[in-house]
Amino acid sequence: MMNIKPLLIGLGLGITILSGCSDDLNLVGSTIQPDGDKMPVYVDTFQMQATTLLMDSVYARTTSGLLGEFYDPLYGNVKSDYICQFYCPDDFKFKKEPINGQIDSVDFKIMYQNSAWVGDSLAPMRAQIYQVTKELERDFYTNFDPLEYCDMTQSLGMQTYTAYDNSIPDSIRGAKDSDGYPLYTPTITIRMPKEFGQKFYDESVKNPSTFNSQENFNKFFQGLYVTNTYGSGNILQINYSAISIYYKYNLKGSQGQDSTARASETFNVTKEVLQLNRFKNTDLNSLLEPSDSIAYLKTPAGVYTQLTIPAQDIVDRIGDRVINNIPLTMKAYPQEEWQWALPAPANLLLLPKDSLPTFFVNNKIEDNKTAFRADYNASSRSYPFGNIANLMQEHIKNNPDKDMVLLLIPVERITAKSNSYYGQSQTYTTALNNYLLPSGVKLLKSEDATKIIVTTTEYK
């Protein structure tokens, strides 16, 4: 008799699925089971609430950054910039001795990939850099005030650019190496004062201990603030930032003759040092106005959607029955169709609101118990999270007298592939980060869209 239990439960759940959310099927399945082994399956319907919350800061520990400013008629304006430190190898020394101890030039490079931007690729923009004058704190939240760290009265350089550089021939832009990787990397080069590089060389001669460790180097040079001071309509996704110091040195030839050669020293932004990304959103008031039909999501660091599921009512109604299934799918309105309209975020994370402060800091991923992830399904305009019964059971165990408050958070999913026993490749999540590119979606919050169907089983 025990072997028939899974089949009977499956039949009961099948009836639940086919019946949708009809309140007439509050009790199903009991009549098809043997008298001595009845396990009634119940279906109860509840209503959750969805609201839009302001999220002016997110955790963003990354070596990439966003630079620029972009306006969307629905989702408002966002300005993006960043502060970065630079990696110094232990016991760094200039490879060669500059002629007469003099530096020739210095520049700062901002590198990104082709098409790695949002908005108008031909919008004229200007990047400008300032020196950081205060030691950075280890704070990776995106609402820092640059005035607290920088001397904004003296610029170290600026450069006007467009994301797509029309001066680059297609033959160069499309060139690839023997492995198929692009040879051309779009780059914004900002010329810096020669005195800046001279200071580095002079310090390496007079106080070499400055370059013995990253800690000492950070005290000597705290970093740069990279911002946009002109233009709107484009945001670049930066892959790589670096300072290069150029100089000439004497080179002895094989016949003893002297010649002049060129060299450079480069300091990069790497994962070993800090980069603080800042996002400043404006014009969000319309998204935060009460609405009976729409809840919004907007990145970066714009607004989240909060879901409140009536856990207290669920506990009161189901008693000690076991929760088998709570399917949750968030449905969306069609995306806007104007030029450069924001896309819907590709991945949403669902987790308890009180878990947010530690989730990204501790590098967690979805576990389908206390955190769930959904891909955006463009054909059905929905985010299917599947069965969140584990999440509800965990909440009831820890907080039986409180409703369950959840957040929907756009995330960037980092993946890898593994081979199964049968040789089929499977994709799995290796990391989840707050999604930092501009995106937006309108979620339905009608009565039907926010209906929660709870399937339970009574074991006797």
Side-chain angles (χ1 to χ4, degrees):
M1 185 62 66
M2 292 301 292
N3 292 334
I4 202 170
K5 285 184 179 180
L7 173 62
L8 294 176
I9 294 175
L11 288 172
L13 294 178
I15 294 172
T16 300
I17 295 169
L18 292 173
S19 303
C21 54
S22 171
D23 291 332
D24 295 331
L25 291 176
N26 184 258
L27 172 61
V28 298
S30 61
T31 59
I32 63 174
Q33 303 176 64
D35 289 342
D37 200 18
K38 289 185 178 180
M39 289 187 297
V41 177
Y42 296 81
V43 177
D44 294 286
T45 302
F46 302 87
Q47 209 71 38
M48 69 176 175
Q49 302 297 318
T51 55
T52 304
L53 293 183
L54 179 66
M55 189 60 58
D56 68 341
S57 180
V58 298
Y59 184 82
R61 184 172 184 174
T62 175
T63 57
S64 62
L66 296 179
L67 179 65
E69 190 165 356
F70 181 81
Y71 174 77
D72 182 89
L74 174 61
Y75 294 101
N77 195 77
V78 60
K79 181 180 175 67
S80 306
D81 48 30
Y82 60 99
I83 283 180
C84 52
Q85 290 178 333
F86 294 83
Y87 175 67
C88 178
D90 288 350
D91 300 318
F92 165 84
K93 295 179 181 179
F94 275 63
K95 294 187 291 287
K96 304 294 181 179
E97 181 181 346
I99 295 176
N100 299 322
Q102 295 298 302
I103 298 303
D104 289 339
S105 62
V106 187
D107 65 33
F108 174 69
K109 289 185 174 65
I110 303 168
M111 286 156 275
Y112 54 99
Q113 297 298 318
N114 275 318
S115 301
W117 55 73
V118 173
D120 184 358
S121 63
L122 298 179
M125 311 289 288
R126 182 174 66 206
Q128 196 154 354
I129 53 177
Y130 299 88
Q131 184 159 345
V132 176
T133 55
K134 175 184 174 183
E135 190 170 352
L136 298 179
E137 299 173 2
R138 228 173 154 75
D139 179 1
F140 296 102
Y141 286 87
T142 59
N143 60 347
F144 71 87
D145 182 358
L147 293 177
E148 292 184 7
Y149 297 99
C150 304
D151 178 8
M152 303 295 292
T153 64
Q154 186 174 1
S155 170
L156 289 179
M158 67 182 74
Q159 181 62 49
T160 302
Y161 67 92
T162 57
Y164 185 91
D165 187 350
N166 277 320
S167 68
I168 303 299
D170 290 342
S171 58
I172 294 178
R173 191 184 307 276
K176 296 182 179 179
D177 64 17
S178 58
D179 295 321
Y181 293 103
L183 292 172
Y184 168 71
T185 299
T187 303
I188 302 167
T189 301
I190 301 176
R191 183 62 62 89
M192 299 178 67
K194 184 171 69 172
E195 294 75 22
F196 180 88
Q198 191 65 50
K199 180 181 176 183
F200 272 61
Y201 177 69
D202 293 344
E203 183 73 11
S204 72
V205 174
K206 298 175 182 177
N207 300 299
S209 62
T210 294
F211 299 88
N212 286 352
S213 68
Q214 187 68 48
E215 182 180 3
N216 289 347
F217 180 74
N218 289 343
K219 293 176 181 177
F220 166 70
F221 175 53
Q222 289 87 356
L224 294 179
Y225 171 46
V226 188
T227 189
N228 170 249
T229 55
Y230 173 81
S232 180
N234 180 270
I235 291 182
L236 293 175
Q237 186 177 15
I238 309 302
N239 280 359
Y240 187 65
S241 303
I243 292 173
S244 294
I245 301 172
Y246 304 92
Y247 58 95
K248 293 189 289 290
Y249 66 95
N250 289 319
L251 180 66
K252 293 287 186 181
S254 59
Q255 304 299 321
Q257 73 275 24
D258 289 338
S259 61
T260 300
R262 296 181 181 273
S264 65
E265 311 294 340
T266 299
F267 296 89
N268 301 309
V269 178
T270 68
K271 63 182 180 180
E272 287 84 6
V273 295
L274 298 180
Q275 176 161 307
L276 309 183
N277 294 274
R278 185 183 73 134
F279 306 115
K280 186 176 182 180
N281 286 281
T282 52
D283 308 315
L284 296 179
N285 290 339
S286 61
L287 307 183
L288 298 169
E289 292 177 356
S291 171
D292 294 330
S293 57
I294 300 175
Y296 292 95
L297 288 168
K298 193 256 181 174
T299 63
V303 295
Y304 287 173
T305 293
Q306 175 178 289
L307 304 177
T308 303
I309 298 179
Q312 295 182 81
D313 293 343
I314 292 174
V315 170
D316 290 343
R317 191 177 304 181
I318 70 173
D320 57 3
R321 300 200 300 261
V322 175
I323 300 175
N324 300 117
N325 191 31
I326 307 178
L328 179 63
T329 295
M330 300 303 300
K331 297 180 180 180
Y333 286 91
Q335 294 299 107
E336 285 64 38
E337 296 183 351
W338 51 65
Q339 192 175 28
W340 302 304
L342 296 184
N347 289 271
L348 285 190
L349 176 69
L350 175 77
L351 81 166
K353 187 177 182 179
D354 58 9
S355 298
L356 178 60
T358 59
F359 187 88
F360 295 104
V361 173
N362 294 333
N363 301 313
K364 294 183 178 180
I365 61 173
E366 74 270 26
D367 58 8
N368 294 325
K369 182 179 180 181
T370 58
F372 293 74
R373 185 193 56 80
D375 297 315
Y376 180 62
N377 186 317
S379 60
S380 63
R381 296 197 303 271
S382 65
Y383 292 93
F385 289 96
N387 181 10
I388 65 165
N390 287 336
L391 183 59
M392 177 59 71
Q393 288 173 159
E394 189 75 11
H395 174 83
I396 291 174
K397 181 176 70 175
N398 298 318
N399 301 285
D401 300 325
K402 295 181 179 180
D403 288 337
M404 185 164 66
V405 181
L406 309 172
L407 288 179
L408 293 173
I409 304 168
V411 290
E412 173 196 26
R413 184 192 185 201
I414 310 299
T415 63
K417 289 188 176 181
S418 64
N419 292 326
S420 70
Y421 179 79
Y422 299 100
Q424 296 178 338
S425 141
Q426 293 184 332
T427 300
Y428 62 95
T429 302
T430 58
L432 292 176
N433 303 312
N434 277 294
Y435 190 59
L436 302 183
L437 287 175
S439 70
V441 69
K442 299 177 295 185
L443 300 177
L444 278 72
K445 54 178 291 187
S446 62
E447 182 176 344
D448 184 62
T450 55
K451 189 174 293 184
I452 293 292
I453 300 171
V454 181
T455 303
T456 55
T457 304
E458 183 177 18
Y459 287 88
K460 294 185 177 180

